Amino acid sequence: MENQTQFVHWLRSVAPYVHAFRGKTFVVAFPGELVTAGDLQVLAQDLSLLHALGIRIVVVHGSRPQVAEQLALRNVEAHFHNGLRVTDSAALECAKEASGELRLDIEAAFSQGLPNTPMAHAAIRVISGNFVTARPMGVFDGVDLQLTGVVRKIAADVIQPIMNAGGIVLLSPLGFSPTGEAFNLTMEDVAVSAAIALRAEKLIFLSETPLMKDAGGSDIRELSSHQAEAVLSAGFLPSDAAFYLASVVKACNAGVSRAHIVPFATDGSALLELFTHDGVGTMVTYENLESLRQATIEDVGGILKLIEPLEADGTLVKRGRELIEREIHYFSVIEHDNVIFGCAALYPFPQEKMGEMACLTVNPEVQGQGDGDRILKHIETRAREAGLTKLFVLTTRTSHWFLRRGFTLASVNDLPQDRQKIYNWQRKSQILIKNLY
């Protein structure tokens, strides 16, 4: 029964994401290192699951280790400048060879259909072609990069009908000029260009790099594109991680809603990133996705869903929909991806310059991640802006949480006169007060 309950709870928790993602375009890019690590079959299964949920998928693969292997087999020396391969004719032949083999491997991975596997009855069609127009990158610092190129155009008008028909589009790190030349491209350039051209909802890089950390060693989970630019300017990231981050910043600034850098070393990393609150990678958005704001009437349903379990077990005083609708202007909510994960209300008592914080609630799935502290700080800011000098709470079970955050125990006599009159002596709530100045 416990496993059944967990399954039902999980399925309900991911339902909002399923609804939000259906019909959206995701560009998923991965380096050749993922194939070398033996993770291609599992990735194909995960992407097939996304496809089954109605998500339109474009896959972009890299080929750096495979090209290096081909060069070694032919005894051709590799040349780089500022981290970019100098592609002569011999290196281009190696890039073609590597991309051709990878294309066949990827198509084979998506063709699995064995019973009792995640790919059973999938029947997914993977379509590739000359969808990328490119031009030579040119000369940098006096070095001619020769047949190394950059994307000039993505054939979005051809790709869209393929996705409309239920196909997955596969793009390789090769592009072609109108004169018939082939160019070696970076996987990141192709992925960013495709995401922009297709107006993708998400760009996802499954990277060989570990989760990014800031200068203090803390995980970087979410950034606005402006914050990401500041991180890049600070210069503390390893070069590979910085290259990925610069790529997603370019995508977000050009209109891609969200971009993710997800270490592929974690099994199911793409699914964990997409269907859990904090994911397992770094997300970059043009604006910060997580919104802490004053509630509106549209938030009533989300607030009720949060507080009803706590009302049922007696942690919170029971409130009906009508009461919350009348008092919605007192509430603040914290939301992520349009899902409300926390709330609190501020009831002012202007005469005594005091405010009551009530109904502080955080979804149990994300407790311990700082949302409660963020809501508290937000309520304190609202109280100060309203000219209040003290904030008080009434609680029966969470006094220690408030004591650790600067509140002190008080008595009923310390409450505003109007609040004293409606104090519930049967609940015997503890009273805690915090000075805001």
Side-chain angles (χ1 to χ4, degrees):
M1 284 299 296
E2 182 180 354
N3 289 337
Q4 291 175 348
T5 301
Q6 289 175 348
F7 173 78
V8 171
H9 177 72
W10 171 84
L11 195 57
R12 288 170 176 164
S13 69
V14 302
Y17 297 104
V18 175
H19 293 310
F21 295 159
R22 184 181 294 115
K24 299 298 197 308
T25 299
F26 289 8
V27 175
V28 182
F30 60 89
E33 285 83 355
L34 181 145
V35 180
T36 303
D39 293 336
L40 180 57
Q41 299 284 344
V42 174
L43 175 62
Q45 293 173 4
D46 290 348
L47 295 184
S48 297
L49 175 57
L50 297 181
H51 182 267
L53 295 175
I55 298 170
R56 297 148 56 92
I57 303 291
V58 174
V59 177
V60 184
H61 73 82
S63 60
R64 294 184 188 104
Q66 289 78 14
V67 172
E69 182 181 354
Q70 291 293 328
L71 288 168
L73 288 173
R74 302 184 189 199
N75 294 318
V76 176
E77 185 179 357
H79 298 282
F80 292 86
H81 178 69
N82 287 341
L84 293 172
R85 187 184 300 279
V86 178
T87 308
D88 56 18
S89 57
L92 182 62
E93 290 304 312
C94 292
K96 292 178 181 178
E97 185 78 20
S99 291
E101 290 187 7
L102 284 168
R103 171 187 166 183
L104 293 175
D105 289 342
I106 294 167
E107 290 175 351
F110 277 103
S111 299
Q112 306 171 71
L114 293 175
N116 302 319
T117 72
M119 293 289 289
H121 313 299
I124 294 172
R125 296 292 173 257
V126 179
I127 312 297
S128 58
N130 57 338
F131 302 140
V132 182
T133 303
R135 62 173 177 80
M137 187 170 286
V139 178
F140 281 84
D141 303 324
V143 177
D144 186 357
L145 297 179
Q146 300 185 49
L147 296 172
T148 297
V150 293
V151 175
R152 175 176 285 174
K153 183 180 179 182
I154 299 289
D157 57 334
V158 179
I159 292 173
Q160 293 284 11
I162 295 172
M163 293 192 294
N164 292 341
I168 288 180
V169 175
L170 174 62
L171 302 179
S172 297
L174 292 171
F176 309 94
S177 72
T179 58
E181 293 178 287
F183 294 99
N184 181 33
L185 311 174
T186 67
M187 172 267 289
E188 294 84 352
D189 182 26
V190 175
V192 169
S193 299
I196 294 170
L198 296 167
R199 297 175 181 171
E201 177 75 11
K202 287 183 180 289
L203 168 62
I204 304 165
F205 282 115
L206 299 171
S207 75
E208 72 280 18
T209 59
L211 179 63
M212 286 189 291
K213 296 183 180 295
D214 60 23
S218 299
D219 294 342
I220 301 177
R221 292 289 187 178
E222 184 177 325
L223 296 168
S224 69
S225 56
H226 302 298
Q227 291 170 328
E229 288 169 349
V231 168
L232 289 169
S233 298
F236 57 81
L237 289 178
S239 58
D240 288 347
F243 195 70
Y244 277 118
L245 188 59
S247 298
V248 300
V249 168
K250 179 180 178 182
C252 289
N253 286 342
V256 177
S257 298
R258 303 163 179 83
H260 305 253
I261 303 170
V262 187
F264 66 69
T266 302
D267 183 31
S269 57
L271 301 181
L272 290 168
E273 179 70 10
L274 293 172
F275 294 105
T276 60
H277 177 258
D278 287 314
V280 294
T282 300
M283 179 170 66
V284 177
T285 63
Y286 186 69
E287 294 180 348
N288 201 329
L289 254 189
E290 190 164 80
S291 175
L292 181 53
R293 57 174 174 77
Q294 191 164 336
T296 67
I297 196 68
E298 287 79 14
D299 299 316
V300 171
I303 293 171
L304 283 170
K305 186 177 179 181
L306 271 179
I307 67 176
E308 280 174 350
L310 298 177
E311 291 177 344
D313 68 13
T315 301
L316 294 178
V317 175
K318 191 169 182 60
R319 294 169 172 83
R321 175 179 286 271
E322 295 80 7
L323 178 61
I324 292 180
E325 287 179 355
R326 289 198 305 270
E327 299 182 346
I328 192 65
H329 58 287
Y330 293 127
F331 279 81
S332 293
V333 295
I334 186 168
E335 66 174 359
H336 188 95
D337 260 356
N338 297 317
V339 177
I340 293 175
F341 281 90
C343 69
L346 173 65
Y347 296 95
F349 295 85
Q351 186 172 344
E352 293 89 349
K353 293 189 176 181
M354 298 179 71
E356 178 181 6
M357 183 172 67
C359 205
L360 175 59
T361 309
V362 175
N363 189 312
E365 293 182 1
V366 297
Q367 284 180 2
Q369 298 176 7
D371 285 343
D373 286 294
R374 284 192 284 272
I375 296 172
L376 172 59
K377 290 179 182 177
H378 175 77
I379 293 295
E380 289 177 357
T381 299
R382 283 187 62 183
R384 291 188 184 98
E385 289 174 350
L388 308 180
T389 59
K390 291 184 178 181
L391 189 67
F392 68 89
V393 295
L394 278 69
T395 179
T396 58
R397 304 185 184 182
T398 57
S399 59
H400 284 86
W401 191 89
F402 291 104
L403 289 170
R404 292 196 301 269
R405 286 155 179 82
F407 286 79
T408 58
L409 290 170
S411 69
V412 175
N413 293 332
D414 296 313
L415 295 176
Q417 289 293 323
D418 289 344
R419 189 64 179 86
Q420 291 182 32
K421 295 174 183 178
I422 57 173
Y423 178 80
N424 189 333
W425 289 96
Q426 290 184 324
R427 280 181 63 85
K428 296 182 180 179
S429 299
Q430 289 182 295
I431 299 165
L432 298 102
I433 296 180
K434 182 178 182 178
N435 292 321
L436 298 180
Y437 292 97

